[in-house]
Amino acid sequence: MKQAVLHAPLDLKVEDNEIPRLDAGDVLLRVQSALLCGTDVRIYEGRKKRNVTYPTVMGHEFSATVADSDGPLPDGLSLGDLVSVYPLLPCGSCVPCTRNHPNLCRNRIAFGYQLPGGFAQFVRVPAAAVRAGNMVPVGGVSPGAGAIVEPLACAYNAQRLASARGAAVMLVSGCGPLGLMHIRLAKQLGVQRVVAIDPIPARREAAAASGADLTLAPGADTAAQVLDWTDGAGVDVLVMAVGRTDALHPYLGILAPGARVSVFAGFSGEGTALEIPANDIHYNEWTVVGASSCRLDDFQEVAALVRSGALQVDDLVGTQVPIDDVVDAIELAASGRDMRVGVDPWA
């Protein structure tokens, strides 16, 4: 089988290897769709090394069909079923795990980091992950929709932590694929009005098509326009869907009392400090929350929304590049010119 094996930053090779052998309780998956996110780009470029074990097969956003098992399958799963794979395997006993933050587990292992991920034709799911329920059925949807459950679940985690459900006004700053996911989830969670901000006209058009009630380019008067649009009430939830400090700083003056800020996107490099006046937080009772990955229950909730058709996501899946050209796929993903770029292991 083919695997895109990352031996060290910038040393990514497509190799022919044996189909993984199964131990007792393991399951073999045949990958159908594997998508790229900004984390994969940073891993490839060497800007993210934490928890990455070399050599590794990247790819933590993927769907697959059940191809084989060494032992009985979990209830509700049969050979040939399409599943979306929850990428994390927490330890269950560290402090974050025991405090209901298993996605922050100090000892976690994950597909695409320590475990071989979805940039391959076949993936072995170890027995522990089988027992934990990491294979979530998504029958009836496209493979791409199944693969995009993971980033959607990360966005869902962020909105849950920011108490977005039913908010009057949400501002989504950055309208790449994840920003569009936030807009669609916000509408599902009953957010009354969403304003989306992005400098690229095509992305603003995509935001409007995703349900944004107002789309604006960032500029000197953008915050004033948003404030006027809310009749002076301001923004209740602000989602930083791009890893830039100017996704927040220009809009501090229009955050409503009790507003929540979600620092959702990952940051890298210098100049990443967020500067928020302490008294503004104090007197306005603002809440600033981070969001890292997602919990299994987030993943299951989003999978159900996608499976039911309540959340339409197929148009968020962009170009699918043959696995032999995986570096081209990473470069395309890094460019931001497309939707969720993927690696096709069978092309």
Side-chain angles (χ1 to χ4, degrees):
M1 70 160 183
K2 288 184 177 181
Q3 289 180 311
V5 182
L6 182 66
H7 294 274
L10 302 178
D11 184 17
L12 181 60
K13 301 174 182 177
V14 177
E15 300 176 356
D16 287 317
N17 290 304
E18 296 293 324
I19 293 176
R21 295 181 179 180
L22 303 183
D23 294 325
D26 292 352
V27 168
L28 182 69
L29 297 180
R30 187 182 193 273
V31 177
Q32 300 297 320
S33 177
L35 305 180
L36 278 147
C37 81
T39 303
D40 294 311
V41 175
R42 292 196 295 275
I43 290 172
Y44 170 71
E45 294 177 345
R47 292 185 287 127
K48 177 177 175 59
K49 297 180 181 179
R50 183 181 178 185
N51 296 326
V52 180
T53 301
Y54 300 105
T56 190
V57 178
M58 291 195 303
H60 60 274
E61 301 178 5
F62 66 101
S63 67
T65 49
V66 180
D68 196 4
S69 67
D70 187 338
L73 289 167
D75 290 344
L77 270 186
S78 302
L79 292 177
D81 284 355
L82 182 70
V83 298
S84 184
V85 179
Y86 177 64
L88 306 183
L89 188 58
C91 74
S93 58
C94 69
V95 170
C97 283
T98 58
R99 295 181 180 176
N100 202 28
H101 294 284
N103 50 310
L104 306 181
C105 172
R106 293 172 177 170
N107 308 305
R108 75 183 195 186
I109 58 175
F111 291 97
Y113 290 77
Q114 301 93 345
L115 297 173
F119 294 173
Q121 292 176 322
F122 292 92
V123 170
R124 181 183 71 91
V125 181
V130 175
R131 293 191 299 269
N134 287 60
M135 297 180 295
V136 178
V138 286
V141 308
S142 69
I148 213 168
V149 165
E150 197 276 341
L152 278 166
C154 295
Y156 183 92
N157 173 48
Q159 295 203 21
R160 175 177 53 79
L161 291 168
S163 301
R165 189 180 295 273
V169 178
M170 175 185 288
L171 188 156
V172 177
S173 189
C175 298
L178 273 161
L180 302 181
M181 293 179 207
H182 273 289
I183 293 166
R184 297 182 192 197
L185 280 169
K187 290 298 186 177
Q188 282 294 316
L189 295 176
V191 175
Q192 297 171 33
R193 293 197 293 171
V194 177
V195 55
I197 297 176
D198 197 280
I200 302 173
R203 287 189 171 182
R204 295 197 297 273
E205 292 173 9
S210 295
D213 301 282
L214 175 68
T215 63
L216 297 169
D221 62 346
T222 302
Q225 288 178 271
V226 174
L227 190 63
D228 182 65
W229 182 68
T230 66
D231 295 323
V235 170
D236 300 286
V237 179
L238 187 150
V239 175
M240 298 177 64
V242 61
R244 295 169 55 97
T245 57
D246 59 6
L248 170 65
H249 290 156
Y251 313 112
L252 287 173
I254 61 170
L255 293 179
R260 287 84 68 195
V261 174
S262 173
V263 185
F264 173 74
F267 286 73
S268 61
E270 300 296 327
T272 59
L274 293 177
E275 297 180 3
I276 307 175
N279 271 341
D280 286 355
I281 297 173
H282 172 67
Y283 287 110
N284 290 297
E285 296 187 350
W286 290 343
T287 301
V288 180
V289 296
S292 178
S293 190
C294 59
R295 304 185 317 203
L296 179 57
D297 57 346
D298 299 322
F299 197 91
Q300 293 165 331
E301 290 275 353
V302 167
L305 288 173
V306 172
R307 202 166 49 236
S308 71
L311 200 56
Q312 295 293 320
V313 295
D314 279 307
D315 60 316
L316 298 179
V317 180
T319 303
Q320 304 300 291
V321 177
I323 191 169
D324 288 330
D325 301 321
V326 62
V327 173
D328 293 340
I330 292 172
E331 292 173 352
L332 178 58
S335 75
R337 297 192 305 268
D338 205 338
M339 289 296 176
R340 212 61 166 181
V341 175
V343 173
D344 185 342
W346 300 98

